[in-house]
Amino acid sequence: MTGVSARTRVVVAVGGARGDDLAVELRAAGADVRLVVDADAPASAVIDAVPEVDLPGVIELRGELTRLDVLVTTGDRDALTPQLVSACDRFGVRIVALCESAAQRRVAEAFGVVACDLDAAAEELLAPVWNDAPAAPAARGRVIAVWGAAGAPGRTTTAIELACELARDGRRVALVDADAHAPSLAMATGLADEGPGFAAACRQAERGTLTTAELTRIAVRLGPVDVLTGINRPSRWPELGQARVASALERCRDWADDIVVDVAAPLERDEEIVSDLDGPRRNAATLAALASADLVVAVVAADPVGVSRFVRAHPDLRAVIGATPVRILVNKTRTSTLGLDARGQVRRTLERYAGARDMWFAPWDAKAADAATLAAQPVAHVAGRSPLAAAIRRFVGEAIEPPAPARSAQRETARVRRAGVRRARTA
C-alpha cells in the first residue's frame, strides 16, 4: 500500500480468528502490529482501578497505548468506552471501530471515531488515517493572537470576550489556549481541562492526521464558540512545540472563520543561548502563535508598571511578528492610578516610546469582571450591558476589520429566516 509507513504502530483489539487474520492483513499492508488482544482489553487497561493480576499483559498494553498510532477495535459498548476514547485522545491515538450493526455505528459516531464494516480490508482501515484530506473551504480562517507583557494585563479575559463578540454575527469562532506558562482559559470559563484540548490537536497535526472533524470532536462549546482548552499542568509545556503549534493553527484555518489564540507573555529565546541542541523551547508556543497570526491584539495594563512593561517588550514583539498588524487595547483604564487624564497620559507615552498612534481603551469594570469570575462565564454572558462588554464590542467593531465571510450565504439565509419569523409574529 502506497503511503503507509512501516513505523506506524497498530494494536488489534479484536478477539478470535478475525483478530489474527486482521493482524496478518495489516502487516501485509505495511503496518507495525504490536499486539493482538481481546476487544475489551484496551478499555480495561485504561481503568486505573483494575488489578493487574486479573489482566495478564496489561502493563505491556498500557505501554503500547502511550506510543500507538492506530487502535483497531470493535463497536461494542464494552470495547468502546468514554475512558478509552479520552485516553486515546491524550496520547494522540486514532481509533477505528469495526461495526456489525447500525447501533454500533451510532456508538462510534457519538464518540467521533472512524466506523468501518466488520469485514473491512486492511487498506480500508488504514485509509482514513493517511488519506483523510477534506475539500478546502471557500475561504480560510484568520488567526488573531492576544498577547500582553508580563503581569496580568487581562490577556485571557480579552481573548474570551473577543471570541464571544466575533461570534455574535454568525461567524464560526474558535478560542485556543496556547499559554505554556499559566494556562487559565478553562478555569475562567468553567470548562473541564481534562479533555484532549489543544495539546491533542498539536500531536495529531504533527502526525498529519488532524482534520476539521477531529477538531470539532475534541473542542468543547462555550455558547457559540468552539474552545480548545490548554494544558492542565504547566509541566506539559514540551507538548506545545513550535512546529506542532504552527501546524495545528494552520489546520484550524479550515475549521473556523476566526481563531482567537491566548498566548503567554515571555518572548525570550534564552534556551538557544544556554544550549546549542535542537530541544524543546518553553516559549515556542507563544512564538509560533505570534508568527502565524494575521492580527495581534496587544493588551496593556493601564498603570505605570503595565505601561512600562509593554514599552520595553514592544521591540521584542515586533521582532517576532514583523509587519503583522497590531491593535493595542489599553485595559483596566482608571484615574486612580494615572490621575484625571489617564487616557491622555497613556496615549502620549505609547506614541512617544512605542510609536503607537491608534489605541483603544477598556475601563476598569470590577463589578462585571467579578460577576464573570463568580459565574465562571464570559462577561458577555453575565453582564452584556456592562461598560467592559461595551468597550470590547466597540473595539471589535472599530479595530478588528471583519474578514470576507466564509459562510455569508448561510448567515444571510438565517437572517432572512429570522426576519420572516418576526414579521409572522407581529402580523
Side-chain angles (χ1 to χ4, degrees), residues 23-401:
V24 173
E25 295 175 12
L26 290 169
R27 289 191 179 101
D32 181 11
V33 179
R34 307 296 299 175
L35 292 173
V36 179
V37 296
D38 291 334
D40 58 351
S44 301
V46 298
I47 301 177
D48 295 335
V50 173
E52 296 177 357
V53 294
D54 296 341
L55 285 173
V58 69
I59 298 179
E60 182 182 7
L61 178 56
R62 285 178 177 173
E64 291 295 343
L65 286 175
T66 62
R67 51 182 179 268
L68 196 60
D69 294 313
V70 182
L71 172 64
V72 180
T73 185
T74 65
D76 297 330
R77 290 185 179 273
D78 293 337
L80 200 59
T81 65
Q83 294 82 2
L84 176 62
V85 174
S86 178
C88 289
D89 281 337
R90 289 198 304 271
F91 300 131
V93 178
R94 177 66 65 89
I95 300 177
V96 179
L98 302 180
C99 305
E100 58 180 347
S101 65
Q104 290 186 356
R105 282 188 172 273
R106 286 194 294 271
V107 172
E109 291 172 358
F111 284 118
V113 303
V114 179
C116 294
D117 294 332
L118 190 63
D119 57 350
E123 288 78 6
E124 184 179 352
L125 301 181
L126 298 176
V129 179
W130 286 283
N131 299 329
D132 192 356
R140 306 203 72 205
R142 173 180 59 172
V143 176
I144 303 173
V146 180
W147 173 87
R155 291 182 299 269
T156 299
T157 299
T158 300
I160 295 170
E161 301 309 317
L162 286 180
C164 292
E165 182 61 28
L166 286 168
R168 280 166 55 90
D169 70 344
R171 285 196 294 264
R172 181 162 190 177
V173 178
L175 180 58
V176 177
D177 192 342
D179 191 334
H181 287 263
S184 58
L185 197 153
M187 291 183 288
T189 54
L191 301 175
D193 60 358
E194 297 297 333
F198 188 53
C202 289
R203 289 192 296 270
Q204 295 193 37
E206 183 182 41
R207 301 183 183 195
T209 61
L210 185 62
T211 64
T212 55
E214 186 68 10
L215 283 167
T216 301
R217 188 180 72 83
I218 65 179
V220 293
R221 297 288 290 181
L222 180 65
V225 178
D226 290 296
V227 182
L228 292 176
T229 55
I231 53 179
N232 54 6
R233 293 184 304 277
S235 60
R236 294 177 55 192
W237 65 264
E239 298 180 36
L240 303 182
Q242 188 161 1
R244 285 181 170 187
V245 171
S247 180
L249 292 178
E250 187 66 20
R251 199 69 184 93
C252 285
R253 293 179 185 272
D254 298 330
W255 176 48
D257 296 330
D258 286 315
I259 304 98
V260 180
V261 187
D262 180 22
V263 300
L267 302 174
E268 297 81 8
R269 303 173 185 265
D270 294 343
E271 301 94 334
E272 298 178 359
I273 299 175
V274 300
S275 174
D276 59 354
L277 300 178
D278 187 16
R281 313 295 186 190
R282 182 64 183 266
N283 301 331
T286 297
L287 298 175
L290 290 173
S292 301
D294 302 297
L295 177 69
V296 175
V297 174
V299 185
V300 185
D303 58 70
V305 176
V307 173
S308 176
R309 285 175 170 173
F310 176 81
V311 169
R312 294 179 180 180
H314 185 259
D316 296 330
L317 174 66
R318 271 299 173 194
V320 173
I321 66 175
T324 302
V326 176
R327 302 291 183 264
I328 298 177
L329 177 64
V330 182
N331 194 27
K332 305 179 183 180
T333 306
R334 58 203 187 277
T335 59
S336 58
T337 57
L338 294 173
L340 295 179
D341 189 20
R343 295 192 178 191
Q345 291 190 58
V346 173
R347 186 182 300 276
R348 288 189 293 271
T349 301
L350 296 183
E351 286 178 351
R352 179 176 180 180
Y353 296 103
R357 296 183 178 179
D358 297 324
M359 61 198 73
W360 288 259
F361 294 84
W364 173 265
D365 192 353
K367 184 177 180 181
D370 290 347
T373 301
L374 179 62
Q377 290 290 317
V379 173
H381 292 183
V382 300
R385 297 184 178 180
S386 65
L388 177 57
I392 295 296
R393 193 173 302 120
R394 182 171 57 254
F395 173 71
V396 171
E398 297 177 359
I400 303 180
E401 299 177 1

